[in-house]
Amino acid sequence: MGVVNVTPDSFSDGGRWFDTTTAVKHGLDLVAQGADLVDVGGESTRPGATRVDEAEELKRVIPVVRGLAAEGVTLSVDTMRASVAEQALAAGAALVNDVSGGLADPAMIPVVAAAGAPFVVMHWRGFLEGGSIEGVYTDVVTEVAEELHARVEAVLEGGVAADRVIVDPGLGFSKGADHDLALLARLDRVLALGHPVLVAASRKRFLGRVLAGPDGAPPPARERDAATAAVSALAAQAGAWAVRVHEVRATADAVRVTRAIAQARTTDPTPPESGAHGAEGAR
Ligand code: PMM
């Protein structure tokens, strides 16, 4: 899933694809680089961002959705507003990606249910707890899995079909770097919810912390793409359905090679050895 942020202020690419023509061209470039799906958003969710009004969000998103749909691109719309989701679906989007998991707008779940569209339900305590940025957890993996499960139940009760629900641990949303790393380490617990899993690690703060130099300064967001591709490969290997990234080529390659290795594993006639270093023990 490639990202087109039609915003002036997203944290890693704000302002770069802000007019319709540039945004459509960027979406087509992402497809040429290997994206199967393009996620179009008109509202930044970075900490401290103020919400855009509905008219402005529609003005940013709908022409880009229309332009890319006309080119045959499979699209998701990244929005917390039911009206934007509804109009984007009518303009050709296939899927709705709501970082609030249906909490921000009570009309969202009915709109998605009526359209029969796939729905990405992301975990974010900012909406569960009224805006807290850094969540406090005693066991982040268990708590995120349980809270996502509760959101999925609400979405199903609202009429969205079970086979339309995709879940996302919401890396960086009310989570610090250690929380993000723990969730990636135990993606199996999110997969155990029984729905396809979307992982969106691209350029996020936790990568900045892992990659920080000796002075502790994180590299700028756009220098985190190699690390993003590495996380994408690990997420794909763990069983993620999709990875959402800004720079597609490296991640598409990483995912393809991961898949090729998985295929080679299934066709290898030699049974795996039990120890990491085989019967002779560690060398
Ligand atoms: N992160 C951002 C925006 N949309 N959608 C989903 N499903 N999951 C995410 O983690 C997510 C998202 C913020 O990233 P950006 O502003 O750099 O695109």
Side-chain angles (χ1 to χ4, degrees):
M1 177 189 281
V3 180
V4 177
N5 283 323
V6 195
T7 57
D9 57 344
S10 285
F11 94 103
S12 82
D13 57 354
R16 294 195 70 205
W17 331 111
F18 193 42
D19 73 88
T20 301
T21 309
T22 317
V24 170
K25 182 177 177 315
H26 184 53
L28 293 174
D29 287 346
L30 296 179
V31 172
Q33 289 162 21
D36 298 315
L37 186 63
V38 172
D39 190 39
V40 179
E43 178 169 53
S44 170
T45 48
R46 73 173 184 187
T50 48
R51 294 211 62 184
V52 295
D53 67 34
E54 180 184 349
E56 175 66 19
E57 192 182 350
L58 286 166
K59 195 175 95 185
R60 293 178 184 181
V61 166
I62 302 304
V64 178
V65 168
R66 201 171 284 129
L68 286 168
E71 299 287 337
V73 177
T74 306
L75 295 160
S76 70
V77 58
D78 185 345
T79 185
M80 295 186 278
R81 278 201 177 93
S83 56
V84 177
E86 191 166 32
Q87 293 195 36
L89 290 167
L95 187 147
V96 177
N97 172 24
D98 180 355
V99 295
S100 81
L103 285 165
D105 184 341
M108 179 64 95
I109 294 172
V111 159
V112 173
F119 189 43
V120 178
V121 176
M122 197 191 83
H123 178 271
W124 184 10
R125 277 194 180 169
F127 267 90
L128 290 174
E129 292 186 341
S132 76
I133 301 297
E134 293 294 331
V136 177
Y137 304 87
T138 49
D139 175 352
V140 66
V141 177
T142 300
E143 288 165 59
V144 168
E146 285 176 2
E147 289 163 21
L148 259 181
H149 175 71
R151 286 312 308 146
V152 169
E153 291 291 300
V155 165
L156 298 180
E157 267 169 40
V160 178
D163 66 359
R164 308 265 89 183
V165 175
I166 296 149
V167 293
D168 179 337
L171 300 176
F173 284 80
S174 59
K175 297 169 194 82
D178 290 334
H179 299 138
D180 292 343
L181 292 166
L183 286 161
L184 286 167
R186 292 306 310 271
L187 209 57
D188 58 307
R189 299 279 303 280
V190 181
L191 285 154
L193 294 171
H195 294 275
V197 173
L198 173 66
V199 173
S202 188
R203 299 180 174 173
K204 281 192 175 162
R205 248 177 324 155
F206 80 99
L207 294 175
R209 206 196 71 182
V210 171
L211 301 175
D215 60 354
R222 277 205 260 156
E223 289 172 25
R224 302 176 193 170
D225 288 330
T228 297
V231 177
S232 298
L234 291 166
Q237 186 168 35
W241 165 77
V243 285
R244 178 187 180 278
V245 298
H246 302 88
E247 200 284 309
V248 166
R249 190 180 303 275
T251 274
D253 288 354
V255 169
R256 273 159 63 192
V257 81
T258 305
R259 191 185 301 142
I261 293 168
Q263 272 161 3
R265 193 176 296 121
T266 62
T267 55
D268 179 5
T270 319
E273 293 172 345
S274 50
H277 300 276
E280 293 167 47
R283 268 190 266 267

